[in-house]
């Protein structure tokens, strides 16, 4: 699953009587009052997505050390992996589950000592037990954020029943956008041909999924790699329906655009999970690494993530203390049930995954 970019605007849903309203919140936070009596940090470097240097995610770390860690940023998982493989040094990185196997295979990671994680026992079991999180008797990633990729459409421009097959309807020619990412595109195609678990992706189903993507390709106006580009096209009405991250729905809510994401498992929705890994070439302090991980995995961090970014958090207790209107609006009232009913992650066989990568390039080229 491709890792989501941070929303263009961070928004918060608050309740007002029986109405929900969206109000913008400040992008920064003032921690000057926390600087007195703080510990001196052996500065760590975090390799992350743009926007995740938001102090709201790791307030306890700043409270202890008086400053945020150093941050460096990557645009997508593949770029991040290649930069690390070329020798870039950092203490922590924030990939999605789909690249953990490659990171382990190239000996980038140190296992995480969960005895030093205060909230490990509070994490959602589905995330804590993902095969790329826990494997070979070790934990390789601290799950942090998760969310969805689903069908987002303009409710004023697309009428009647809508499902994944709508994307291939000739009436939608030039009005569709798909992500320029093989993981996301084939998650859509898998759901469209009835695959609810990657273990069901046989050679026959792979061919069906590829045929579906070819049918949709004739309607695609553009393949998006920049969420801002997609959001602008949906706002303008250029795009009527897209396979998109839940951050796009959040941006539409903020701008009061009549658009929604379908979260009905009968129609089809995918889930992704990302988290933090301990890189073995970092030069920062070990105590600082675990203080940062503890700050990220706290329920308070999760509350901020849900309310301010619209993404879900790994800590189950976050949903108890977060704004309940926001939790319900994003479909997170039953996180475990939601994940169980969606196509989770990107985990086909290596053979099928390689075929998908090759075939997706052919489909985009019109073959």
């Amino acid at each position: 699953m491709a890792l989501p970019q941070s929303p263009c605007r961070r928004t918060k849903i608050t309740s007002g009587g029986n109405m929900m309203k969206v109000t913008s919140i400040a992008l920064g936070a003032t921690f000057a009052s926390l600087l007195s009596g703080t510990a001196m940090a052996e500065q760590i470097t975090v390799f992350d997505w743009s926007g995740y240097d938001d102090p709201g995610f790791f307030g306890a770390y700043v409270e202890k050390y008086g400053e945020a860690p150093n941050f460096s940023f990557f645009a997508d998982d593949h770029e991040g992996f290649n930069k690390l493989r070329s020798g870039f040094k950092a203490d922590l990185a924030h990939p999605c589950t789909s690249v953990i196997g490659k990171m382990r295979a190239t000996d980038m990671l140190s296992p995480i000592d969960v005895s030093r994680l205060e909230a490990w026992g509070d994490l959602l079991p589905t995330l804590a037990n993902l095969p790329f999180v826990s494997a070979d008797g070790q934990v390789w990633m601290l799950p942090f954020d998760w969310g969805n990729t689903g069908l987002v459409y303009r409710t004023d421009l697309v009428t009647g029943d809508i499902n994944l097959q709508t994307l291939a309807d000739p009436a939608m020619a030039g009005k569709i956008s798909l992500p320029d990412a093989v993981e996301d595109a084939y998650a859509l195609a898998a759901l469209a041909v009835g695959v609810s678990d990657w273990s069901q992706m046989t050679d026959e189903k792979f061919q069906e999924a590829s045929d579906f993507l070819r049918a949709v390709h004739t309607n695609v106006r553009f393949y998006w790699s920049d969420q801002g580009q997609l959001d602008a096209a949906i706002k303008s009405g250029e795009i009527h329906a897209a396979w998109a991250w839940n951050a796009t729905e959040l941006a539409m809510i903020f701008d009061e655009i009549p658009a929604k994401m379908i979260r009905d498992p009968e129609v089809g929705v995918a889930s992704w999970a990302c988290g933090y890994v301990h890189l073995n070439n970092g030069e920062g302090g070990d105590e600082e690494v675990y203080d940062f991980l503890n700050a990220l995995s706290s329920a308070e961090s999760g509350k901020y993530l849900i309310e301010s970014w619209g993404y879900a958090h790994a800590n189950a207790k976050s949903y108890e203390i977060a704004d309940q209107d926001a939790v319900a609006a994003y479909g997170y009232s039953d996180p475990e049930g939601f994940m169980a009913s969606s196509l989770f992650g990107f985990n086909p066989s290596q053979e099928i995954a390689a075929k998908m990568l090759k075939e997706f390039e052919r489909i985009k080229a019109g073959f």
Side-chain angles (χ1 to χ4, degrees):
M1 205 64 208
L3 194 73
Q5 298 174 14
S6 59
C8 297
R9 302 175 182 87
R10 302 176 196 175
T11 59
K12 181 177 181 179
I13 290 185
T14 56
S15 59
N18 293 323
M19 302 286 290
M20 284 194 303
K21 62 180 180 179
V22 180
T23 58
S24 62
I25 67 170
L27 296 181
T30 301
F31 286 91
S33 61
L34 302 176
L35 299 183
S36 59
T38 54
M40 294 297 292
E42 190 175 346
Q43 196 77 344
I44 61 173
T45 296
V46 181
F47 193 37
D48 218 321
W49 299 82
S50 178
Y52 281 85
D53 53 341
D54 186 335
F57 296 140
F58 47 87
Y61 180 93
V62 178
E63 183 174 359
K64 180 173 180 178
Y65 294 107
E67 61 182 352
N70 293 321
F71 277 88
S72 185
F73 302 105
F74 54 88
D76 58 50
D77 270 341
H78 302 295
E79 177 194 311
F81 174 78
N82 289 332
K83 186 171 181 179
L84 289 169
R85 188 169 58 175
S86 69
F88 178 76
K89 292 184 177 182
D91 299 282
L92 293 164
H94 185 184
C96 279
T97 55
S98 60
V99 296
I100 300 299
K102 291 197 300 183
M103 296 180 86
R104 287 188 61 198
T106 49
D107 195 30
M108 293 182 181
L109 306 183
S110 294
I112 294 173
D113 182 356
V114 297
S115 70
R116 300 177 67 177
L117 298 179
E118 298 165 1
W120 179 255
D122 298 329
L123 300 192
L124 293 165
T126 293
L127 298 180
N129 294 310
L130 285 173
F132 292 114
V133 171
S134 301
D136 300 327
Q138 302 279 7
V139 170
W140 300 97
M141 182 180 83
L142 172 65
F144 174 65
D145 50 342
W146 64 277
N148 313 115
T149 309
L151 184 56
V152 177
Y153 72 101
R154 283 282 299 262
T155 57
D156 58 333
L157 300 178
V158 183
T159 58
D161 294 335
I162 181 170
N163 55 42
L164 301 186
Q165 303 303 322
T166 303
L167 299 177
D169 186 337
M172 300 295 284
K175 302 173 183 177
I176 300 300
S177 185
L178 296 187
D180 190 10
V182 63
E183 298 95 333
D184 285 331
Y186 268 97
L188 162 64
L191 289 164
V193 300
V195 171
S196 58
D197 185 286
W198 286 109
S199 65
Q200 302 168 357
M201 184 57 81
T202 61
D203 287 336
E204 181 181 0
K205 284 295 184 181
F206 164 74
Q207 189 57 55
E208 289 182 36
S210 299
D211 290 343
F212 173 78
L213 287 178
R214 283 191 169 84
V216 177
H217 174 77
T218 62
N219 291 342
V220 170
R221 190 171 188 87
F222 63 85
Y223 288 89
W224 66 269
S225 57
D226 181 329
Q227 185 195 311
Q229 174 197 19
L230 174 65
D231 294 352
I234 295 175
K235 284 176 58 179
S236 71
E238 176 186 1
I239 295 299
H240 291 195
W243 189 245
W245 302 323
N246 47 313
T248 287
E249 182 190 40
L250 189 67
M252 297 304 106
I253 291 172
F254 181 90
D255 288 323
E256 299 182 349
I257 302 298
K260 66 177 293 186
M261 172 183 279
I262 298 177
R263 290 183 170 82
D264 184 352
E266 295 299 318
V267 174
V269 64
S271 292
W272 48 262
C274 310
Y276 286 82
V277 294
H278 190 185
L279 300 169
N280 57 21
N281 68 349
E283 298 176 342
D286 190 61
E287 180 179 354
E288 287 73 14
V289 164
Y290 279 92
D291 284 337
F292 188 75
L293 293 177
N294 278 316
L296 289 169
S297 56
S298 69
E300 291 73 21
S301 175
K303 178 179 186 295
Y304 184 79
L305 180 68
I306 294 166
E307 293 179 348
S308 303
W309 283 45
Y311 291 154
H313 193 266
N315 191 319
K317 291 184 176 179
S318 300
Y319 306 91
E320 300 172 8
I321 64 175
D323 184 289
Q324 293 304 295
D325 287 329
V327 171
Y330 300 133
Y332 300 144
S333 297
D334 178 16
E336 287 287 349
F338 191 98
M339 286 188 281
S341 63
S342 67
L343 180 65
F344 199 92
F346 183 70
N347 190 30
S349 69
Q350 290 186 354
E351 179 183 359
I352 293 291
K355 291 171 65 175
M356 287 178 180
L357 182 62
K358 180 178 180 180
E359 198 68 7
F360 187 49
E361 293 304 316
R362 286 173 48 80
I363 291 169
K364 290 189 296 178
F367 296 103

